Amino acid sequence: MEHGNQLGKFLESLRGKMSLRKVASKSGLSHAYIRDLELGRNRTTNDIIKPSPDTLRKLSQAYQYPYTDLLMKAGYLEEASSMQTNRDIRLEHIWYVEFGAKSIKYYSAEGVVEENVESLVAFTSFIEALMEQQFAKVDMHLFVNLNKIKKYAPAEGKLYFDEHADHYVGIAALPQMKYHQTLLEYEARNNGLPAEVEAGSRRSSLKTKFLT
């Protein structure tokens, strides 16, 4: 209860002179719910309430306050320590990562490794680590290692990870549009071709490497 009140008072201090309705407009949350969070309880039922990580993300954006710091103040980051990380997994060797409801699957030349994760914050922290390691989100639950892409096939909507073009994943249309040039550049770099080579000739050169 005390912790909830402390968090509520902190959220109220972040809001400052901004009206509840303005915060509601910025965050997509209802003004009544925002006030309940500040009070630390549901005013209808008098039950203690705690904002979810998703709610905190919305508030962090509305208040321009670091999301991680809000998670720490709400006590969620304590859960991250329960994440059992497989120390044998090195992200630089992973082709792509697939997120499940409570697990992470790592795909590489050695096969597939699955890891159970209970904490939402652990997922959030892990995604940040992926971005730092040059992984890109190409589908709702799929992150690929740009440094491991061997062939990018725009017409097929596929990314290949081995020189024999056997192993691939599909890439959704919107991410494909977003990352098209980036994928071309990494494909060239990963195959030892100059990044500045004109796209057409680069694709022609790569095509010869993957003819079967």
Side-chain angles (χ1 to χ4, degrees):
M1 178 73 172
E2 182 182 356
H3 180 78
N5 283 340
Q6 288 177 347
L7 176 62
K9 288 176 181 176
F10 180 74
L11 292 176
E12 188 173 13
S13 72
L14 282 182
R15 180 165 64 85
K17 295 182 179 180
M18 196 184 307
S19 70
L20 287 166
R21 292 189 181 279
K22 184 165 185 179
V23 178
S25 176
K26 282 175 168 284
S27 65
L29 303 168
S30 75
H31 68 276
Y33 179 56
I34 294 169
R35 185 55 185 157
D36 282 353
L37 291 176
E38 292 178 352
L39 295 171
R41 62 183 174 83
N42 183 312
R43 285 171 292 171
T44 302
T45 64
N46 209 35
D47 292 334
I48 295 172
I49 60 173
K50 178 180 178 181
S52 68
D54 185 56
T55 294
L56 291 173
R57 182 184 291 279
K58 292 174 180 176
L59 290 174
S60 76
Q61 293 170 348
Y63 295 137
Q64 294 296 294
Y65 187 82
Y67 177 49
T68 303
D69 289 358
L70 272 185
L71 290 171
M72 290 178 65
K73 288 186 176 295
Y76 283 106
L77 276 182
E78 295 169 5
E79 299 176 13
S81 62
S82 67
M83 179 177 178
Q84 299 299 311
T85 302
N86 189 323
R87 297 185 183 280
D88 294 331
I89 296 172
R90 295 177 62 89
L91 289 178
E92 63 265 31
H93 298 151
I94 301 300
W95 286 342
Y96 59 94
V97 175
E98 187 176 32
F99 288 80
K102 286 191 175 182
S103 68
I104 299 172
K105 287 183 180 179
Y106 304 83
Y107 294 79
S108 70
E110 283 70 45
V112 183
V113 175
E114 186 169 6
E115 178 177 73
N116 292 325
V117 182
E118 297 297 330
S119 168
L120 289 173
V121 175
F123 275 113
T124 303
S125 301
F126 182 64
I127 288 173
E128 291 174 357
L130 289 179
M131 302 304 244
E132 292 174 0
Q133 291 286 331
Q134 304 302 308
F135 278 71
K137 183 179 181 180
V138 298
D139 213 332
M140 185 65 70
H141 305 291
L142 190 66
F143 285 74
V144 301
N145 186 347
L146 294 173
N147 291 314
K148 288 294 185 180
I149 294 170
K150 283 294 185 178
K151 178 185 176 185
Y152 167 42
E156 303 171 25
K158 293 178 180 178
L159 299 171
Y160 294 86
F161 297 93
D162 63 336
E163 293 193 354
H164 302 292
D166 292 328
H167 206 102
Y168 68 86
V169 295
I171 176 171
L174 287 178
Q176 187 173 342
M177 292 174 61
K178 178 180 178 180
Y179 292 113
H180 181 73
Q181 189 57 40
T182 299
L183 291 171
L184 288 175
E185 291 171 1
Y186 272 91
E187 177 193 40
R189 184 185 309 169
N190 297 341
N191 285 283
L193 297 174
E196 62 272 10
V197 173
E198 191 272 325
S201 60
R202 177 162 67 237
R203 300 219 59 77
S204 176
S205 298
L206 285 164
K207 186 176 180 181
T208 62
K209 289 195 64 167
F210 289 95
L211 286 175
T212 56

